[in-house]
Amino acid sequence: MIRGSKDEFLGLCRQFPPRPIGSARQLRRTQAVVNRLLDKAPRLSRPEREYLHVLGTLIHEYEERTTPLQPLDPVDLLRELMQERGLRQKDLLPVFQTESIASAVLHGKRQLHKKHIQALARFFRISSAAFLAEPAAASEAA
C-alpha cells in the first residue's frame, strides 16, 4: 500500500475503529458506516474498499455467531442439493429407481425411506443425518 493510501485507511480506522461486534447496537453503528461508504460506490478509493471489506467481515462474523441456523426439511435439502449441482429429477434414478418415486418425494406425496436416505447420502457424499431432520410441518405442529 502506498503512503497516501495507508494514511487514508488509518484515517478511516481513527474515525470508526473496526472492532469485533458484540451487540445489536454495535451492529447498527457498523452498518451505518458501511451504508455511508456504499452511498459513494462505485467511486470508492482503494483504502475505502479495503476498510469496507474489513467492516463487512466483522458484520458477517457477528451474524454467523448470532443467527441460528434452522435445519432444512429433508425434501427441501434434497431440492437445494439438486439445484446446487444442476441436477434434474431423472438424475436421481440411482437413488429412487423410478422417476415417479422421485417425483412423489419431491412433491411431498411420499416420504423418504431409510434406504432412500442412505442412497442420497452416498449419492451426494454427505452424512445421512442431514436427511433425518423433522419435516417443518411436523415440528411446527408439535
Side-chain angles (χ1 to χ4, degrees):
M1 189 182 305
I2 58 175
R3 179 75 177 148
S5 295
K6 183 177 178 182
D7 290 342
E8 184 180 356
F9 184 85
L10 290 174
L12 292 165
C13 290
R14 279 196 269 316
Q15 289 175 16
F16 186 82
R19 292 191 176 100
I21 299 169
S23 68
R25 182 175 177 263
Q26 290 172 333
L27 174 66
R28 285 190 301 275
R29 290 182 65 216
T30 305
Q31 286 174 325
V33 174
V34 165
N35 289 339
R36 280 194 301 273
L37 284 168
L38 290 175
D39 287 343
K40 289 180 63 177
R43 300 176 321 274
L44 292 174
S45 66
R46 180 177 177 184
E48 287 172 324
R49 286 192 310 270
E50 291 171 351
Y51 181 68
L52 183 61
H53 179 77
V54 170
L55 295 180
T57 300
L58 293 171
I59 290 171
H60 175 76
E61 287 174 356
Y62 175 79
E63 290 174 342
E64 286 286 311
R65 282 192 324 270
T66 61
T67 306
L69 292 177
Q70 299 297 321
L72 279 180
D73 174 88
V75 175
D76 289 338
L77 173 60
L78 175 57
R79 287 189 202 107
E80 285 293 321
L81 289 167
M82 289 174 65
Q83 181 179 358
E84 182 181 284
R85 290 170 169 88
L87 300 175
R88 295 183 305 226
Q89 187 174 295
K90 72 176 187 172
D91 298 319
L92 298 177
L93 286 176
V95 173
F96 296 109
Q97 286 78 45
T98 69
E99 279 195 64
S100 63
I101 295 174
S103 177
V105 168
L106 289 168
H107 289 93
K109 296 178 182 173
R110 186 172 178 159
Q111 298 224 342
L112 287 171
H113 296 289
K114 184 177 178 179
K115 68 178 184 170
H116 295 144
I117 290 171
Q118 291 168 338
L120 285 167
R122 282 190 305 274
F123 185 82
F124 287 107
R125 293 186 168 96
I126 62 173
S127 170
S128 59
F131 291 102
L132 297 175
E134 288 186 39
S139 62
E140 289 170 8

